[in-house]
Amino acid sequence: MAFYMIGERINGMFKDIGEAVAKFDPKPIQEWAIKQTEAGAAYLDVNVGPTAADRVKSMRWMVEVIQEVCDTPLALDSTNYDAIEAGLEICKKPALINSCPCERPKIERVFPMAKKYGAKIIALTMDKSGIPKSADARVAFAMELVAAADEFGLSPDDLFIDPLILPCNVAQDHAPEVLEALRQIRTLSDPPPHTTLGLSNVSQGTPFRPLINRTYCVMAMTCGLDSAIMDVNDDELVDAIATAEVLLNQSIYCDSYAKVFRQR
Amino acid sequence: MGLTGLAIFKLLPKTNCKECGVPTCMAFAMALAAGKATLDQCPYVSDEAKEALESATAPPIKLVKAGSGDKVLEMGDEQVIFRHDKTFYHPTGIFIEVADDSNVEAKVEEINGIVFERVGQRYEIDGVAIVNASGNADTFKNAVAAAAAKTGKVLLLVSEDPAAIEAAAAGVAERKPILYAANGDNYEKMVEIAKKINAPLVVKGKDLSDLADLVGKIVGLGYKELILDSGERETSKVLADLTQIRRQAIKKRFRPFGYPTIAFTTEEDPYLEALQAQVYVSKYASVVVMKTTELASLLTLFSWRDNIYTDPQKPIAVQPGVYAIGDVTPDSPVYITTNFSLTFYTVQTEIEATKLPSYLIAFDTEGLSVLTAWAGGKFIGENIGPWLKDSDLNQKVSHKKLIIPGGVAAIKGKIEELSGWEVIVGPREANGIGTFAKLKLGA
């Protein structure tokens, strides 16, 4: 099992990317694509941001300019499924769709699209009523998503189930529930679905973001987490992940394991 | 591991009738997977689903036994695809073929005589396969009786003619022979014979899917003492089939393949035949049937089988004791190390390279290395001293000088005090032995 790091940085929520998308300036986007690839990202998240005028057009343009400079697979991040489909059409490598909640109409739109383009899906353990608190409720959503994958001819292995972590300063009681959910999600099917987290959420609004991020990431890996949308340029975080992989006997130890982790 | 939530859900009726007390079939599947509910809460579940769920708790590969007395061969009951994941438990049974129209007694005598003693292990052939080459039931029956009288080894009766098997098996029923083989045409009769004497029955398919069908039919007749043969004889295909059978049984809990397997060698050259058999021993065969009686080929095969079936989690140890390296004399130097095989062989190789005949003591540390055993109190003066004092080395050498590993120089005083020997501290690393022997021992 290899840990998939999904680079979070190419997101219009960040000021430099937002401006680049608005002005169709490829430079900041391409720089981050290269920088995150060099840090070992398995996927690059691509989000046009809230300010983009035409999401479909912007998404297609972003995918094009990123693919000019690197061939790292992309995680197309949008609530607009037309924008995602526009991106999928031109992705050179199988992409990751970010994301699909456990709502029937969205499943019916996203799952066949994933099948058509050979893409994988980040699937959220929530529906219209919002994010559940208990691990059991999260796992119940996960089970429905796994069954839906089977229904649409996808393998559980095509799903990255995100049990949705919330900031620990305002929703502290969610963190252990998410850990328990991660543990159970791994047992839902054989092969098990992948799991992922929007890791940086856990530390949102706190003054200790890197410390909280890497501590929680290691805890979650112990419960079976095998990917995260994260700051791949946070060296201490990446070192912690590489170390956790070794200590979980998922990769073979060598003295230069942290370097090897970034290069594979 | 039991069934996953998804696997159970697929078996449920999906009526969402709530009669089980759970809101949906999916929630019920998850409750079952978590052990919080039992299947009898659902009134609409099919027999097929019941069988699948029950089998999830059974071991992935059934244990099947053949033979009697102290020659019982246990087959199957394996849990892993790779030995480093845990271990392989039941070593492959090596059988040799005897044709019923040959001199059966002489051949069985020869097979009985194949016994090897090697590094404290005794190897012998596990079984004799009597092949109905004559096609005649009486000849077969007599040959089986003759073989049974000559050997206590496990018997394998090879004929696809139920009449021949029935006649021969009746005479050796209490020996619990393996019956070979049930195929698509004869399986009903073969199952009847096997049931009567409760003997393991080989199921021979035309290919994997035919094999799975046939096993399903035989299990339907109520017989589960089975061994599988996919029918392939070409090495690469047998390898692929054995791998599929093991993988499906363990990873997918595919019940028709949850049994031990048998493979037959086809190579004429004994050297190639042994190589072919080594592939099958490595890749999951529970029984390998061979033709050669050539000792060199069989010895390599037995050594290989022994290596494959050792437990990788236990440290591999050499027999504790005193080893002579080269033509030793009463003046030869005496080295000591532990009986951890990696340590022992490293030191032994370096001593051999000095060309100076020497004694090497493999001290019993339960297979631990020098520093580990020292830290664990197993390689210390209090243990080595008294042992050395009473050791028969005192008769073998005229001096009383012991060379110890440099890493445990601290044990020198205690050994000297308790043994009366003089202790020389050797190099820390075995690769320093060459220089050490040159400077200190005049090698």
Side-chain angles (χ1 to χ4, degrees):
Chain A
M1 191 169 100
F3 194 89
Y4 298 88
M5 298 196 296
I6 304 168
E8 69 185 2
R9 193 55 179 71
I10 306 177
N11 186 320
M13 292 281 276
F14 290 99
K15 199 166 164 242
D16 58 345
I17 302 294
E19 284 172 9
V21 174
K23 288 188 276 184
F24 288 97
D25 169 15
K27 208 164 161 246
I29 293 168
Q30 292 178 331
E31 277 170 7
W32 276 113
I34 292 165
K35 203 171 156 191
Q36 293 186 100
T37 299
E38 284 171 354
Y43 288 96
L44 303 176
D45 196 70
V46 184
N47 185 318
V48 299
T51 55
D54 182 340
R55 293 185 182 207
V56 173
K57 189 178 160 201
S58 300
M59 177 65 90
R60 198 192 307 266
W61 174 76
M62 286 173 88
V63 170
E64 273 166 4
V65 300
I66 293 168
Q67 290 190 148
E68 278 170 22
V69 293
C70 68
D71 57 3
T72 312
L74 305 178
L76 306 178
D77 181 0
S78 181
T79 49
N80 179 327
Y81 293 131
D82 293 334
I84 287 185
E85 184 144 24
L88 285 175
E89 280 170 2
I90 56 169
C91 274
K92 290 177 188 159
K93 288 207 173 158
L96 189 55
I97 297 171
N98 185 9
S99 56
C100 180
C102 193
E103 291 166 31
R104 197 62 202 179
K106 293 186 176 173
I107 288 172
E108 283 170 4
R109 171 79 171 101
V110 172
F111 282 45
M113 181 162 76
K115 178 87 184 160
K116 180 175 174 192
Y117 294 99
K120 295 177 189 268
I121 306 165
I122 294 179
L124 313 175
T125 61
M126 62 178 288
D127 61 10
K128 277 187 198 141
S129 53
I131 296 175
K133 199 194 112 189
S134 74
D136 283 351
R138 284 175 157 96
V139 175
F141 279 128
M143 180 69 204
E144 275 193 52
L145 290 162
V146 169
D150 187 60
E151 180 188 340
F152 287 98
L154 297 165
S155 161
D157 187 47
D158 292 325
L159 293 183
F160 284 71
I161 293 189
D162 182 350
L164 298 161
I165 185 65
L166 294 172
C168 67
N169 54 350
V170 294
Q172 195 175 347
D173 50 354
H174 278 254
E177 298 290 335
V178 169
L179 295 180
E180 180 52 32
L182 284 168
R183 215 174 270 130
Q184 292 185 30
I185 289 167
R186 297 289 298 172
T187 68
L188 286 180
S189 62
D190 180 23
H194 297 286
T195 48
T196 197
L197 285 176
L199 185 64
S200 307
N201 278 340
V202 71
S203 61
Q204 196 74 253
T206 73
F208 316 103
R209 299 203 61 181
L211 175 63
I212 291 172
N213 289 347
R214 66 176 178 266
T215 303
Y216 194 69
C217 192
V218 169
M219 293 168 76
M221 286 176 75
T222 307
C223 301
L225 182 76
D226 70 349
S227 93
I229 307 168
M230 53 178 271
D231 178 0
V232 297
N233 299 104
D234 176 347
D235 276 336
E236 286 178 315
L237 172 58
V238 177
D239 283 346
I241 291 170
T243 306
E245 249 195 20
V246 167
L247 296 178
L248 290 166
N249 194 26
Q250 291 166 348
S251 59
I252 296 172
Y253 176 85
C254 68
D255 288 349
S256 56
Y257 70 84
K259 191 175 158 200
V260 173
F261 177 83
R262 289 167 164 87
Q263 288 172 342
R264 60 191 190 183
Chain B
M1 177 175 147
L3 284 178
T4 63
L6 181 67
I8 295 169
F9 176 64
K10 285 184 172 181
L11 294 166
L12 293 179
K14 303 184 187 71
T15 49
N16 296 329
C17 65
K18 302 186 180 63
E19 286 180 45
C20 59
V22 177
T24 62
C25 287
M26 193 176 291
F28 183 54
M30 289 170 65
L32 281 172
K36 290 178 194 156
T38 56
L39 194 61
D40 52 25
Q41 288 169 239
C42 173
Y44 303 109
V45 71
S46 68
D47 287 345
E48 177 204 0
K50 274 185 195 147
E51 161 71 20
L53 290 164
E54 277 160 12
S55 68
T57 55
I61 299 176
K62 186 175 158 56
L63 177 69
V64 176
K65 293 181 188 176
S68 60
D70 60 346
K71 304 281 187 190
V72 170
L73 180 67
E74 298 194 331
M75 298 163 283
D77 196 23
E78 299 291 343
Q79 296 170 12
V80 292
I81 313 276
F82 298 106
R83 67 185 279 276
H84 61 250
D85 288 338
K86 198 176 276 171
T87 185
F88 292 164
Y89 293 97
H90 298 104
T92 309
I94 309 291
F95 283 51
I96 292 180
E97 271 184 27
V98 179
D100 66 351
D101 54 2
S102 66
N103 186 342
V104 174
E105 290 181 347
K107 184 79 176 177
V108 172
E109 202 73 66
E110 187 191 356
I111 295 168
N112 281 338
I114 301 173
V115 176
F116 303 100
E117 299 273 358
R118 183 182 156 268
V119 291
Q121 299 283 341
R122 184 187 160 89
Y123 307 141
E124 52 181 84
I125 302 291
D126 301 287
V128 176
I130 303 103
V131 180
N132 187 12
S134 66
N136 179 299
D138 281 337
T139 311
F140 188 56
K141 184 185 166 190
N142 294 337
V144 169
K150 276 279 171 201
T151 188
K153 296 182 191 298
V154 181
L155 302 172
L156 171 65
L157 313 188
V158 181
S159 174
E160 293 183 36
D161 171 13
I165 291 283
E166 185 167 33
V172 292
E174 77 291 348
R175 295 277 294 266
K176 219 177 170 195
I178 301 172
L179 308 183
Y180 185 97
N183 60 34
D185 301 323
N186 71 9
Y187 73 92
E188 282 164 316
K189 184 70 190 156
M190 290 297 261
V191 168
E192 203 178 287
I193 301 164
K195 260 188 187 170
K196 209 179 292 168
I197 63 169
N198 195 27
L201 174 64
V202 178
V203 185
K204 184 185 182 186
K206 294 191 189 81
D207 53 34
L208 283 183
S209 80
D210 185 52
L211 179 64
D213 285 351
L214 203 49
V215 171
K217 287 178 190 159
I218 291 174
V219 169
L221 295 174
Y223 204 63
K224 290 186 173 177
E225 295 297 309
L226 306 177
I227 299 171
L228 309 180
D229 176 3
S230 76
E232 283 294 350
R233 293 295 179 266
E234 196 181 307
T235 313
S236 62
K237 289 183 176 145
V238 175
L239 170 63
D241 285 356
L242 288 172
T243 305
Q244 272 311 317
I245 289 170
R246 173 68 70 93
R247 213 182 264 170
Q248 296 297 329
I250 287 177
K251 301 203 101 151
K252 299 291 176 197
R253 297 260 167 182
F254 184 61
R255 301 309 297 172
F257 288 171
Y259 299 93
T261 48
I262 190 168
F264 291 77
T265 56
T266 51
E267 295 289 347
E268 295 296 329
D269 177 64
Y271 172 70
L272 292 176
E273 193 188 358
L275 274 177
Q276 194 181 20
Q278 284 179 32
V279 171
Y280 302 158
V281 164
S282 312
K283 302 307 275 185
Y284 323 125
S286 306
V287 172
V288 172
V289 183
M290 308 183 63
K291 296 183 292 287
T292 188
T293 48
E294 201 206 66
L295 299 181
S297 294
L298 291 171
L299 179 58
T300 55
L301 180 61
F302 277 113
S303 314
W304 180 245
R305 180 187 69 175
D306 237 46
N307 275 296
I308 291 292
Y309 280 86
T310 51
D311 185 344
Q313 267 127 44
K314 286 191 194 133
I316 304 170
V318 299
Q319 197 68 30
V322 178
Y323 290 78
I325 301 172
D327 294 327
V328 286
T329 69
D331 296 326
S332 295
V334 178
Y335 297 85
I336 189 166
T337 190
T338 78
N339 77 321
F340 177 41
S341 63
L342 205 61
T343 303
F344 177 83
Y345 288 119
T346 309
V347 175
Q348 187 197 36
T349 311
E350 294 294 340
I351 295 175
E352 271 169 3
T354 67
K355 302 271 196 287
L356 183 66
S358 307
Y359 284 104
L360 175 57
I361 303 165
F363 193 71
D364 187 359
T365 58
E366 293 162 22
L368 298 178
S369 71
V370 169
L371 289 175
T372 316
W374 177 56
K378 292 186 169 71
F379 197 66
I380 54 176
E382 287 81 346
N383 295 349
I384 298 171
W387 177 87
L388 187 60
K389 189 161 177 274
D390 300 331
S391 160
D392 61 355
L393 265 171
N394 292 289
Q395 279 82 57
K396 285 181 179 161
V397 294
S398 55
H399 62 84
K400 285 196 169 193
K401 289 179 189 163
L402 176 72
I403 303 159
I404 64 169
V408 290
I411 67 175
K412 172 179 155 83
K414 208 62 179 177
I415 299 178
E416 291 186 331
E417 184 191 315
L418 297 175
S419 66
W421 280 53
E422 179 193 338
V423 170
I424 301 161
V425 177
R428 287 189 67 89
E429 301 292 337
N431 62 15
I433 288 174
T435 315
F436 169 85
K438 231 177 246 160
L439 295 175
K440 300 278 177 72
L441 308 174

